[in-house]
Amino acid sequence: MNQASPQTHRTLALVGASGSGKTTLAEAMLHRAGAIPRAGSVEQGSTVCDHEPEEIARHTSLGLSLAHFDWAGPDGTPYALTLADTPGHPDFVGAVDAALSVADVALVAVSAVDGVVGGTVAAWEAAGAAGVPRVVVVTQEDKARADFRGVLASLRAAFGEHLWALELPIGEEAGFRAVADVLSERARVYDGDGAGHDEDLPPEVEAEEHALHVEVTEDIVSHDDAQLEAYLDGDEPSAPELERTFRREVAEGEAVPVLVCSGLSGTGVDRVLDLVCELTPDATEHDGRVLVGEGTGGTELRVAPNDAGDTLVHVFRTVADPFVGQVSMLKVLSGTLRTGDKLRNATTGTDERVHGLFRLRGSEHLTAGTLAAGEVGAVAKLTGSPSGSLLWTRSSGTARPVPTPERPPVYAVALEPASQSDDEKLPAALARLVAEDPTLVIDRAGDATVLRGLGDTHIAVAVERLARVFGVRVGTAPAPVAYRETIAGTATVEGKLKKQSGGHGQFAVVQLNVSPLRPGDGFEFVDSVTGGAVPKHYISAVEKGARDALASGGPQGHPVVDVRVELTDGKTHSVDSSDMAFRTAASIGVKAALADAGTVLLEPVSSVTVTVPSELQGAVLTDLSGRRGRVSATEAAGAGRARVVAHVPEAELARYVLDLRSITAGQAELTIAPDHYAKAPGGVRT
């Protein structure tokens, strides 16, 4: 089936819930195409796509993996296909977004046993948001309790009546050995190694299949005036003619084919590939989109995939490899990319040279001298092009790909380097880690380095990669909560510095009124000195000293906010006064005011938005109440879902994403964003 010179290209994003059989399906496709001699096993850690040590240890996909192969359609048309196998775990949705940003079609894998689950809904919505045509592939049809017809009903209930089964299984569970093709009304029967041949339909499915054939045919011809007229005159279009019309519906999102197979036995896998090739748009049939211009906005520009056009390349994912360095996965939006080309990063301004192009098949590098418009491949050692970069031949101007959805972090840990050497290497390693995966966020909380991500598994894998790939060993601890203090009342104090130790001394006196501001007002400094008691050139030093004292922490050990410091009077010495003396005196005075008036502990409060099936809204509200949450809104979110918005103290959210997944069986969507500070109740321990 391999072709020497494939003419058409497809990038197929395999998306769906964890455990839906995506990687097993990818393995079956590669084997059926002759790209690998035998199909590997997820459980044995021998698959092409799950090749990273962290994936092999956990028996699940954790990152984006590409697998290129060739396929010949039933009429001999050669296709070059690239599978983009994605994780189903919600912690790694960033990899799903990256795959969909370059995909020509999304294959939504749905288990014939588990049916529509939270991960199915998430994958469906992500593909829709990316504007990618969808094909549903019902997998695991040979497993115990497989129920294709029940799954089809739940799919149509969840996503609409425009989902059409183009295949029916003949037999289920262990008896699944054939599929009925709805358009051609023929059966494809498979032997033990997954090879198939066509036969007449068996009597037990003939009536069901024909009824579905009529229903699907009538829907297809209703979208084509010529076919509809012929159909009404009694002339039914052939299967290839129906496929051509249906293909337009799929490309426009008006119809979604539902196919069925078993990745484990190989039954139906070849027909899935045939129908995907015949019913979905080629890479050159739709334009790319980029944003051109400065700043966070920009003007959207549509890019035609023209081989002869200016070269424009989207770097959609980077992965650090301990042996070859950084590997950048890319898609050519326009032009032809060649080894040796010199391009400019339109996002970062870095000049890059393409040292060697290749296609990926898991960890295997397949040499490619050129990549044409629409093709996906990879290159090693681009030094200044993180995930989400755009490369082009222009010497000036800025541009970037249309952004993928924002995925704000919802889980955090503090990193504790194992040694001084690890501490020194940590910043550079973290920078490379974030360049790979933009859903990771690094920030500081006091002296702690905090790593934020989408869940505990996301963070655990990142920590393992720090050690394995970058040679930096760290431990983890709960992320500190960024408490603050504010002064409890007004205090009038004197800050005085008087030192004499031979030669010039240090002398400064300031009179200060220190009082609270409204929450969120930050800091205000007022100069009310009259008569030159404190010379003008020392006023800025007094303000700096006040800021120093507030930043160094109040009596409870936290930075102080929402404070007004008024300088009313002071004393100076013609010889011993200096900027540093007045800065120190002001700091002494502010600290004295905080001690005299006392401080109030403030805790950070986050805005939390949870979207869940409506029947789970009550459980979410009860849980939020137990976390001292204050619900500000509940509303319908469409498709039988509800949205809850609440304000919750950050101290109550350390494990919230994990608990929420448990409460909702993984069916919740969560965002957490810092909102404001509020007075902490008594008994809160910092």
Side-chain angles (χ1 to χ4, degrees), residues 7 111 137 195 318 505 569:
Q7 298 298 309
S111 168
V137 182
T318 61
D569 202 356

Side-chain angles (χ1 to χ4, degrees), residues 103 111 117 126 150 157 207 209 238 244 276 356 362 386 391 408 416 434 453 523 586 591 614 622 633 680-681 685:
S111 168
V117 296
E209 187 282 330
S238 66
R244 282 194 292 273
V276 166
L391 309 179
E416 300 176 338
V434 172
F523 172 74
K591 289 182 178 180
S614 298
T622 299
R685 302 177 65 181

